[in-house]
Amino acid sequence: MKRLLVLCVASLLAGGCANVMVERGPARTQDAGRAGQQLDQARASAALGESEAALASLDLEADQVPDSLRARWHPLRADLLERTGDDFGAAAELAYLQPILPPDAAGANQRRIDALLSRLPDRTLSDAAATLPEGHPLYPSAARALTRRGLALPRALPPELQLAGGIEAGDWPTAEADGYRPPERVAVLLPLSGRLAPAGNAVRDGYLTAWYGERRRRPDVRFYDSEAAGALAAYQRAVAEGAQLVVGPLSQESVAQLFAGDLPVPLLALNRVQAPPPPGSASFSLAPEDEGVAAADRLLQRGLRRVVSVFGSDDNGRRSAAAFRERVAAEGGDVVAEIALAGPGPDYSEQLRMSGVGADFDAVFMALRAPEARLLVPQLTAVGMGGRPVMATSLVLSGGGNPQLDRELDGIEYPELPWMLRATPGLPTAETLSGRLPSARGNGARLFAFGADAWLLTAYLDHLGRSAERGVPGATGELRLDGFGNVVRDPAWAMFSGGRTRSALDGALIPQDVETLAPGQDARDDIPYE
């Protein structure tokens, strides 16, 4: 009404008000002009370091920001909010930006949203998520962050964002009492030719071994080479031939290609990419980030909250260390120092001294291969950083396997596959298979177990998708779905003792006596796919 009076007065001064009309077009043009002026003013204030003044300039609600300015408005507000310590508000601004970004930029934007949310303590994240209105674009990300921490959601996700709500399982056979419900026809896409063929063969053998080990109704399974004509062509052929569930592919590039397209049949991807699985599909991987998170949780559960993190140039190690840092910070702990070792050694003592770490820390986390770890451990003691618990990732097994040399690692704990420590239902023991099946020994052992659990998920995907609280014990760990289609894996724990790896007394999924692994199972390189 006020705008109408102003326009009417202006019209009277010009000679009349009879034809004055308030139209949306000119008003929106004026709003765009006002928003542009605010954006320019905020940029000027931000350049002077006046973040509060810059934020005060950007006073439009998100739904009032003209579409033409969103790509500049929301990133600026996010930067300013982060500078002023409002990480949740910054994440919310980036969430408004997400729908208008191209796929590559959207992936980077989502990673930043996740990183901002990871900084928040549990109570702060829960309370802030509860204030978000229905339909707010940040809520799915906040819900995923809460679920990963095992926290309750303020309200349920919309059905279209829940895995169970999207699975077309109505024509699958009826579930059994424990939730066992595989479809009738399954297609598995794996690299059976090319450079990834050894990895594909190990996963295939694990899948088939577990499939044969099941005594109940089993689906028809058909394998397709994802490398011959490409993963997309293999998926389309599998669908045309009647598959009700497609498992695979294995490489990140192939998974990203399928996730970006139309998926008329649910997909259980065997790798993780930046984009979340489409509704109705899921992803499963042995990602190094998962081990960083698991190590952080284990230390924090023991009250060890101030940690020194040490890693090398290995990409897997760096990814584990980054995930470890984010998890510790999210849970209110503190990575007091991060030490990136330069080169393969042999002398790290100067780097350790230069890190500035005093005596005020509780534990050491390392994401290193065995040769570097063996050199580091005695040097920690030499510079006064010894005598604390040391947690590692399974990368510590790479380049190891010599009990005489590996005595330097005694006492170190790391996440391990339960199958490597003890027999898993439906599978022969790791020791038995390593002597009979080449794909189940050495580098292939982890991938073999991974394939076995791909079958387990085939059988229980519908069951797990109905609640994030449900889990099934597998060869790689306790498996559950986080509500967004990502398989979460809780590993077993092992430790070095006498230069050999043994089950950690309080860490195995199934309590047991200390048991030595089969010879040759310690020395494994990291997973030969992304």
Side-chain angles (χ1 to χ4, degrees), residues 249-276:
L250 199 59
S251 73
Q252 283 188 329
E253 181 181 0
S254 295
V255 171
Q257 181 187 27
L258 293 187
F259 276 6
D262 181 38
L263 298 177
V265 170
L267 181 75
L268 172 60
L270 298 182
N271 212 322
R272 185 178 300 169
V273 295
Q274 295 299 337

Side-chain angles (χ1 to χ4, degrees), residues 208-252:
L208 285 174
T209 300
W211 181 84
Y212 277 115
E214 178 57 62
R215 294 292 180 257
R216 292 174 287 184
R217 177 192 61 81
R218 296 177 302 197
D220 294 331
V221 177
R222 180 173 297 183
F223 290 85
Y224 298 79
D225 186 359
S226 59
E227 299 299 297
L232 179 58
Y235 176 87
Q236 292 171 337
R237 179 184 169 193
V239 171
E241 294 179 353
Q244 296 171 302
L245 175 69
V246 178
V247 179
L250 199 59
S251 73
Q252 283 188 329

Side-chain angles (χ1 to χ4, degrees), residues 36-277:
Q37 291 174 357
Q38 290 187 4
L39 196 56
D40 291 340
Q41 183 177 349
R43 283 178 167 175
S45 297
L48 295 173
E50 300 172 353
S51 299
E52 297 285 356
L55 276 173
S57 299
L58 303 174
D59 64 356
L60 293 181
E61 296 294 333
D63 59 357
Q64 296 175 322
V65 179
D67 292 344
S68 60
L69 296 180
R70 287 188 179 278
R72 290 182 289 161
W73 183 282
H74 295 301
L76 179 57
R77 271 190 60 84
D79 289 344
L80 294 169
L81 288 164
E82 186 176 7
R83 288 183 202 174
T84 57
D86 186 357
D87 291 334
F88 192 83
E93 289 296 328
L94 296 177
Y96 284 118
L97 183 66
Q98 190 74 355
I100 66 173
L101 295 175
D104 289 347
N109 191 60
Q110 184 62 53
R111 290 194 297 274
R112 186 179 173 194
I113 291 172
D114 293 340
L116 288 165
L117 296 179
S118 74
R119 301 174 186 172
L120 302 175
D122 289 353
R123 181 62 181 270
T124 302
L125 179 59
S126 295
D127 291 348
T131 66
L132 294 173
E134 292 282 349
H136 195 288
L138 182 62
Y139 189 73
S141 295
R144 179 167 60 247
L146 288 168
T147 302
R148 284 174 176 168
R149 301 186 193 187
L151 302 176
L153 302 186
R155 60 180 180 274
L157 285 163
E160 64 270 16
L161 295 179
Q162 298 179 16
L163 178 65
I167 288 181
E168 297 295 336
D171 58 346
W172 293 13
T174 303
E176 299 195 17
D178 66 343
Y180 179 84
R181 192 188 184 190
E184 293 180 319
R185 296 176 300 280
V186 176
V188 183
L189 315 184
L190 291 172
L192 302 178
S193 61
R195 69 180 184 87
L196 290 180
N201 291 335
V203 174
R204 177 201 60 198
D205 291 350
Y207 192 98
L208 285 174
T209 300
W211 181 84
Y212 277 115
E214 178 57 62
R215 294 292 180 257
R216 292 174 287 184
R217 177 192 61 81
R218 296 177 302 197
D220 294 331
V221 177
R222 180 173 297 183
F223 290 85
Y224 298 79
D225 186 359
S226 59
E227 299 299 297
L232 179 58
Y235 176 87
Q236 292 171 337
R237 179 184 169 193
V239 171
E241 294 179 353
Q244 296 171 302
L245 175 69
V246 178
V247 179
L250 199 59
S251 73
Q252 283 188 329
E253 181 181 0
S254 295
V255 171
Q257 181 187 27
L258 293 187
F259 276 6
D262 181 38
L263 298 177
V265 170
L267 181 75
L268 172 60
L270 298 182
N271 212 322
R272 185 178 300 169
V273 295
Q274 295 299 337

Side-chain angles (χ1 to χ4, degrees), residues 286-302:
L286 299 179
E289 288 86 353
D290 294 344
E291 294 198 353
V293 170
D297 288 344
R298 188 163 174 83
L299 288 172
L300 292 168
Q301 288 164 4
R302 295 177 171 181

Side-chain angles (χ1 to χ4, degrees), residues 428-446:
T429 65
E431 181 178 2
T432 298
L433 277 179
S434 67
R436 298 178 180 176
L437 195 62
S439 60
R441 69 172 73 112
N443 295 347
R446 295 175 70 83

